[in-house]
Amino acid sequence: VVSTQSTRSDAGHTALEVDFANRWIGGGVLNCGAVQEEILFSVNPELLVTIFLCGMMEAHEAIVITGTEQFSLSTGYSRSLQFAGDAPLLTTTPTHVAMDAV
C-alpha cells in the first residue's frame, strides 16, 4: 500500500523503507555525502553499525536492518541539508532494506 498522506515518521513497523544504496552501505556518510543514503544514516545513527558489519554488496544482494530509531529530523538535500529538530518518539520502527542502486 502506498500512501501519499502519511509521513516517514507515521509509518512505524508496517513500513519497509528502501535505501537505494551505494554498494558500500552508508555511502559517504562518514565523509562528505549528504544525499538519500547519507541523510538516512544521519537521522538514524544506529544504522552506522552496518558500515562495520557488512562488506561490499554484490548486485544480487540486499541488507535488511530492523530495530533502529530515528533520532532527528532534517530539511533540504545535499548542500542545503540542515538539522530540523528532534524526531518524535515512536513505539515502532520501519524495516530498512539496503540494495545497491547499480
Side-chain angles (χ1 to χ4, degrees):
V1 175
V2 175
S3 172
T4 59
Q5 303 301 312
S6 62
T7 66
R8 182 173 171 255
S9 297
D10 295 333
H13 76 285
T14 61
L16 182 66
E17 187 167 289
V18 177
D19 170 16
F20 293 106
N22 183 296
R23 63 184 176 170
W24 292 98
I25 192 161
V29 70
L30 297 179
N31 193 5
C32 60
V35 291
Q36 188 256 349
E37 183 173 19
E38 292 84 357
I39 294 168
L40 176 65
F41 276 60
S42 296
V43 300
N44 293 273
E46 295 167 323
L47 291 172
L48 294 170
V49 173
T50 61
I51 294 170
F52 304 104
L53 297 177
C54 301
M56 183 183 77
M57 285 185 279
E58 299 292 334
H60 65 280
E61 295 179 315
I63 298 170
V64 178
I65 307 138
T66 60
T68 65
E69 184 177 344
Q70 181 177 347
F71 286 89
S72 60
L73 301 172
S74 64
T75 60
Y77 192 80
S78 189
R79 291 192 171 133
S80 66
L81 179 65
Q82 292 183 347
F83 173 73
D86 295 333
L89 293 176
L90 301 176
T91 56
T92 59
T93 58
T95 297
H96 302 280
V97 177
M99 59 185 75
D100 185 7
V102 185

